[in-house]
Amino acid sequence: MAGVVRYHRLGRRKYRERMYAECAKPLAQYTTEELYDRFRFGRDDIKYIADLVRPKLQHKTKRSHALSVEEQCLIALRFYASGTFYQVVGDNMGVDKSTVSNVVKAVSVELASLVNEFVSFPKDDQMVQTKQSFFLLGNMPNTIGVIDFTHVHIQVPHERECQYVNRKGRHSINVQLVANADLIITNCVVKWPGSVHDARILRESALYRKLQSNQPNGIILGGRAYPLLPWLMTPFPVANTPEQAGFNSAHCKTRCANERLNGVLKRRFACLNYLRVEPKVACNIILACIVLHNIATRRNVPLDDIYDGPEPDEVQPEQPTMFAPNEGQTGRVIRDAIVRHYF
């Protein structure tokens, strides 16, 4: 609850009186429409989220005016949904700017700590359903995921500023996302500055090490920025046959899942369009939104008009030579076999 200090004079002495602004309305007082519009979640969803972070955010004391866990969640969700200034969020929620900043940081840290619980690669017993969903989406066989990146723009950092400048000259975090056909994020990497190439982020990821040492029973689809690997299929640079054209068409249709995911993420959580925070805080906010996205998708939280189409494709530069040549050769053999058998 925002504290407002007023000064009064009694004779020659000045004394302080702390006044308290009206705090955010209790959760029960919002209508369903207000909840979805302002916070992107329904009442039961917000209670579920509050219970997830309650162990760390519950105040140990019952001191006067302490924010409840539900109130903290509402403040953070309002910021994620609107992406506006802390001061504006505070004015809307009845708290001061510093309170919004502290609450957003605290809630984001706790939600980010749950990423391994809510973001996981398909297990063996989930592979069949995952492949079927992708095949229905774009007629691409044996697909278990699509990989892509998205840049989350941030304010100019105080340290290592030049490393965060991306190809478009803006400061950003380069985020790697792997998703399934239902827009569930199954793997993410959220730590690299915007200047780092997508292929390097993949090469240094735990996912790459895992799939290189234990090749999965399926393939992941990636765009031109990624290397052609035994488990990572990229489109033909030039389709020289009708079969190769068919492969590229199916590849494009199926990969649209991740392009659509990027659009949904940034429309549902408008803060991801521009974060006015330092990189470390930005990464926690991004991870929090990823966790919340998967919660919303699994709980069938309606999108309404949040999404209206994929983000426009970015032109990708050639991927740097940081992968062994034999990896690309094996990838070409597998891609050719897919074309022969299915297209």
Side-chain angles (χ1 to χ4, degrees):
M1 193 171 289
V4 179
V5 177
R6 293 181 180 175
Y7 293 91
H8 301 268
R9 286 192 177 277
L10 185 61
R12 294 184 177 181
R13 299 184 62 182
K14 184 169 71 172
Y15 67 95
R16 296 174 14 141
E17 177 186 6
R18 178 168 288 276
M19 309 294 291
Y20 288 92
E22 180 183 359
C23 191
K25 291 193 297 184
L27 179 60
Q29 293 186 25
Y30 286 104
T31 67
T32 300
E33 291 74 17
E34 286 177 325
L35 290 172
Y36 284 122
D37 181 56
R38 299 182 185 186
F39 308 105
R40 298 294 190 255
F41 289 92
R43 185 168 288 103
D44 290 341
D45 306 313
I46 295 172
K47 290 179 180 178
Y48 173 77
I49 294 166
D51 286 340
L52 289 174
V53 298
R54 192 178 305 280
K56 294 293 181 65
L57 296 184
Q58 181 74 58
H59 290 287
K60 294 180 174 58
T61 64
K62 297 295 184 181
R63 63 186 180 86
S64 178
H65 309 301
L67 289 169
S68 69
V69 175
E70 286 75 12
E71 288 169 332
Q72 293 177 68
C73 286
L74 288 175
I75 291 169
L77 290 173
R78 181 61 183 148
F79 170 75
Y80 300 147
S82 67
T84 189
F85 294 96
Y86 287 158
Q87 184 67 65
V88 176
V89 174
D91 291 345
N92 291 335
M93 301 297 294
V95 297
D96 60 28
K97 175 182 175 180
S98 62
T99 298
V100 175
S101 175
N102 292 334
V103 167
V104 168
K105 289 178 183 177
V107 174
S108 297
V109 166
E110 295 311 316
L111 287 172
S113 71
L114 301 173
V115 67
N116 291 332
E117 180 179 341
F118 287 94
V119 178
S120 60
F121 207 65
K123 296 179 173 55
D124 290 342
D125 60 346
Q126 300 171 318
M127 288 293 189
V128 173
Q129 180 60 48
T130 300
K131 293 176 183 179
Q132 288 177 346
S133 297
F134 272 121
F135 189 77
L136 292 173
L137 188 66
N139 294 322
M140 178 63 78
N142 214 31
T143 303
I144 58 175
V146 289
I147 186 170
D148 206 351
F149 74 98
T150 188
H151 282 268
V152 176
H153 299 126
I154 61 173
Q155 69 179 17
V156 179
H158 288 99
E159 299 180 0
R160 299 186 300 146
E161 178 267 337
C162 62
Q163 295 183 21
Y164 289 89
V165 180
N166 61 30
R167 292 187 298 274
K168 294 187 174 182
R170 298 187 64 182
H171 298 84
S172 67
I173 305 293
N174 193 355
V175 179
Q176 177 179 287
L177 297 173
V178 180
N180 66 18
D182 299 318
L183 304 188
I184 293 287
I185 297 170
T186 58
N187 184 267
C188 64
V189 178
V190 184
K191 64 179 181 180
W192 291 94
S195 66
V196 179
H197 194 281
D198 311 334
R200 181 188 172 190
I201 295 175
L202 171 66
R203 179 68 177 81
E204 300 196 21
S205 68
L207 178 69
Y208 176 83
R209 294 191 295 271
K210 174 183 176 181
L211 299 185
Q212 281 292 93
S213 61
N214 185 19
Q215 188 168 331
N217 180 24
I219 58 173
I220 295 175
L221 305 183
R224 292 190 301 269
Y226 293 103
L228 179 62
L229 300 173
W231 47 268
L232 177 55
M233 293 291 104
T234 60
F236 288 94
V238 178
N240 294 315
T241 67
E243 291 77 16
Q244 290 181 358
F247 174 92
N248 278 6
S249 176
H251 188 287
C252 180
K253 289 179 182 177
T254 307
R255 255 191 80 228
C256 279
N258 216 322
E259 294 175 1
R260 185 170 185 268
L261 166 65
N262 290 338
V264 168
L265 263 178
K266 292 183 178 181
R267 292 295 299 276
R268 173 175 267 147
F269 304 116
C271 69
L272 297 182
N273 289 294
Y274 183 71
L275 288 169
R276 301 172 183 85
V277 294
E278 289 296 307
K280 183 177 180 180
V281 178
C283 288
N284 283 330
I285 291 173
I286 296 166
L287 285 168
C289 290
I290 287 172
V291 169
L292 290 171
H293 166 81
N294 277 3
I295 289 173
T297 306
R298 290 191 175 111
R299 292 176 67 89
N300 297 313
V301 175
L303 290 176
D304 295 330
D305 62 348
I306 293 174
Y307 174 75
D308 58 5
E311 292 184 314
D313 288 337
E314 294 193 23
V315 177
Q316 299 297 329
E318 291 296 320
Q319 54 107 4
T321 56
M322 59 178 65
F323 297 85
N326 64 314
E327 292 177 334
Q329 181 60 38
T330 306
R332 281 189 287 274
V333 170
I334 294 175
R335 185 173 64 183
D336 290 343
I338 293 173
V339 171
R340 284 197 308 273
H341 286 92
Y342 295 98
F343 296 95

